[in-house]
Amino acid sequence: ARDGAVGWTDSQGNLWLFGGELYNSVCSYCAYYNDLWKYSEASQQWTWVGGSQTADTPGAYGVQNVAAVSNLPGARYRAASWSDNSGNFWLFGGLGYDANGNVGYLNDLWEYNPTAKTWTWVSGSSQTSQTGVYGTQGTPSSSNVPGARHDSVAWTDSSGNLWLFGGQYQDPTTHQSEELNDLWEYAPGTGQWTWVSGSNQFNPVGSYGSSPVPGSRDSSVAWMD
């Protein structure tokens, strides 16, 4: 049992599930997972594909941009997820475990190849509680990266670019929850993030007039038309 897992559907119509949190009435936090599962509607069977049977597993990041069977995102929940035009799965951030076994908000970007069954750490930090590097709005850069967060929303556009909006961050010192309204685009072809819209500050209010921007929020809903 879990909540806050992420999922994908592959080109064959199989359903994929990653991670999440075990939560019940006895404890406010019980365990985070990083197990990866595939469900075949044709056979009506689950397959445990990867990840640990043990809860609260740290990430195994390996070398950035190098796929390896030993790579594995740390246990987490409420991450963002996408599928690209090549059929690969993508995972960003969430609340969970970094490379050193510390629990916190994450900003790591991962790519999973379901054919090779390998993870690649693509972008972001292997440590928790990282702030964003925004650069110049509208200008892609290899140094740009969204800050740590969970409960963002995500889309993939017709060109295969990954989009990320908003979410929640918690200051590790004050434990104050902060809301975001920044909009980001990630281009898998160039490996670069672009800060597209919204604020690079916490808790901005919405602008509903001639230059509209949604206010900061987490756990919102998203569509593509």
Side-chain angles (χ1 to χ4, degrees), residues 3-59:
D3 92 311
V6 296
W8 308 269
T9 304
D10 67 24
S11 58
Q12 286 77 47
N14 299 307
L15 314 179
W16 293 73
L17 178 76
F18 174 84
E21 180 195 39
L22 171 64
Y23 178 94
N24 60 34
S25 59
V26 177
C27 56
S28 60
Y29 155 72
C30 294
Y32 295 148
Y33 297 121
N34 73 338
D35 47 352
L36 179 66
W37 294 82
K38 179 174 73 170
Y39 181 78
S40 167
E41 290 191 290
S43 66
Q44 298 186 6
Q45 292 180 330
W46 284 101
T47 303
W48 171 39
V49 177
S52 178
Q53 297 183 58
T54 304
D56 302 335
T57 303

Side-chain angles (χ1 to χ4, degrees), residues 77-78 95 104-105 129 148-151 166-181 201-204 216-219:
Y77 84 131
R78 298 188 182 180
L95 177 59
Y105 287 70
S129 306
R149 66 193 67 198
H150 76 36
D151 279 324
Q168 182 187 91
Y169 173 75
Q170 187 178 76
D171 187 294
T173 302
T174 66
H175 303 291
Q176 175 69 38
S177 292
E178 312 284 4
E179 303 292 330
L180 299 156
N181 81 329
Q201 305 295 316
F202 294 133
N203 305 317
S216 53
R217 65 194 69 194
D218 70 87
S219 306

Side-chain angles (χ1 to χ4, degrees), residues 107-152:
N107 78 328
D108 47 353
L109 179 67
W110 293 82
E111 180 184 14
Y112 183 77
N113 184 318
T115 302
K117 295 183 173 61
T118 55
W119 286 100
T120 304
W121 170 37
V122 176
S123 174
S125 176
S126 61
Q127 311 299 316
T128 63
S129 306
Q130 302 297 305
T131 57
V133 178
Y134 286 78
T136 302
Q137 194 171 87
T139 303
S141 172
S142 57
S143 61
N144 291 349
V145 65
R149 66 193 67 198
H150 76 36
D151 279 324
S152 303

